[in-house]
Amino acid sequence: MAEIQDTQPPRVDISKSSSNVPADGYDKKCIFCRIVNNEMGTELLHCDEEISCFRDIKPGAPHHYLVVPTKHVGNCKSLTKEHVPLVKRMVDKGKEILEKNNITDLSDVRFGFHWPPFCSVTHLHLHVLAPASQMGFMSRLFYRLNSYWFITADQLIELLNSKGETN
């Protein structure tokens, strides 16, 4: 198996992240693959070859966006240390979308992922919620910090960075 050299850019080939996904990174059974492929009529707030963003169909806050890899990537539990740059770019895109929607107070924002088996779609997706202080009771439960079912983007990055260090 080839090793990744330090001279390579910190990008991960997201088309190879899940063994059940065709080489083109599209899973016809995945609702998020279909959304980013413009098959569902969902408005895409951002779409490029790496990252796409759209509104959550069941918003948990006045601004609730989903930032996803454009090509299918499995849920956050399937990620490796190589995915850290992708997760960071997803967070950056979420911040950019918030700024475009006049949300500038990033201290009242929640960025995170549901931890399997508590995610309804297996395509990696970052929840971007703002203002977090305006989330309702159920949303505060679904997107609860320090819970078994929701992990912040920073916690995921820390977890991924620690993978392989204790071998």
Side-chain angles (χ1 to χ4, degrees):
M1 194 156 96
E3 290 186 31
I4 295 176
Q5 306 225 347
D6 291 338
T7 57
Q8 292 180 335
R11 299 223 180 234
V12 63
D13 184 354
I14 59 177
S15 66
K16 296 178 181 172
S17 296
S18 178
S19 58
N20 298 336
V21 179
D24 64 358
Y26 174 80
D27 179 351
K28 65 183 178 184
K29 294 179 182 175
C30 173
I31 187 73
F32 291 168
C33 284
R34 295 178 67 201
I35 287 172
V36 301
N37 204 38
N38 289 311
E39 295 176 21
M40 303 301 294
T42 302
E43 178 189 6
L44 294 174
L45 305 175
H46 174 84
C47 186
D48 63 31
E49 65 182 31
E50 185 181 36
I51 293 174
S52 297
C53 178
F54 49 91
R55 287 179 183 84
D56 193 299
I57 194 168
K58 294 180 182 175
H63 295 268
H64 187 169
Y65 309 110
L66 297 177
V67 180
V68 304
T70 301
K71 293 184 179 180
H72 191 91
V73 174
N75 62 47
C76 58
K77 200 171 184 178
S78 70
L79 302 181
T80 67
K81 195 172 187 172
E82 291 179 335
H83 291 96
V84 169
L86 171 65
V87 174
K88 287 181 177 180
R89 286 190 294 275
M90 290 171 70
V91 171
D92 289 343
K93 187 54 65 181
K95 289 177 182 176
E96 184 182 310
I97 296 294
L98 288 172
E99 288 171 8
K100 285 181 180 178
N101 286 279
N102 300 314
I103 301 294
T104 55
D105 181 8
L106 296 183
S107 67
D108 193 19
V109 174
R110 188 149 307 161
F111 295 94
F113 302 86
H114 281 111
W115 192 255
F118 302 101
C119 46
S120 57
V121 180
T122 58
H123 190 127
L124 182 68
H125 56 286
L126 170 70
H127 289 271
V128 178
L129 298 113
S133 60
Q134 292 182 28
M135 293 188 329
F137 176 75
M138 291 305 290
S139 294
R140 289 179 192 269
L141 285 177
F142 290 147
Y143 308 102
R144 185 176 173 183
L145 299 176
N146 302 313
S147 63
Y148 292 112
W149 54 88
F150 189 78
I151 184 171
T152 67
D154 288 340
Q155 288 170 324
L156 179 60
I157 290 167
E158 186 178 325
L159 176 70
L160 295 176
N161 275 327
S162 70
K163 281 191 172 185
E165 291 179 3
T166 57
N167 286 347

